[in-house]
Amino acid sequence: MSQLDRITQQPDIMGGRAFVRGLRVTVSMIVGQIGAGHSIADMLADYPYLQREDIMQALRYAAWRAEERELLLTVA
């Protein structure tokens, strides 16, 4: 997805987990913090090297990966 230019995933870095802009901040950490009730403002204060767009792209990436698809399989 071209709109996710801040998210990287490489098998040999961060255990293959998606991370933000070469930082040691994973998408799962950001999603976990939001899920625990932390606001974006809280995260920006706690992690000053993050930018708002980093968090927004991490959330969009997580939503994209979690998107469910139902496939109808037929037996020939």
Side-chain angles (χ1 to χ4, degrees), residues 15-59:
R17 293 177 295 179
F19 59 97
V20 177
R21 285 190 300 119
L23 303 171
R24 298 189 66 79
V25 177
T26 62
V27 168
S28 60
M29 186 280 293
I30 291 173
V31 172
Q33 292 288 313
I34 296 291
H38 297 273
S39 69
I40 292 174
D42 293 338
M43 293 187 62
L44 293 173
D46 291 343
Y47 305 95
Y49 44 85
L50 283 178
Q51 298 172 0
R52 179 177 173 76
E53 185 58 22
D54 296 332
I55 297 169
M56 298 307 296
Q57 282 195 25
L59 294 172

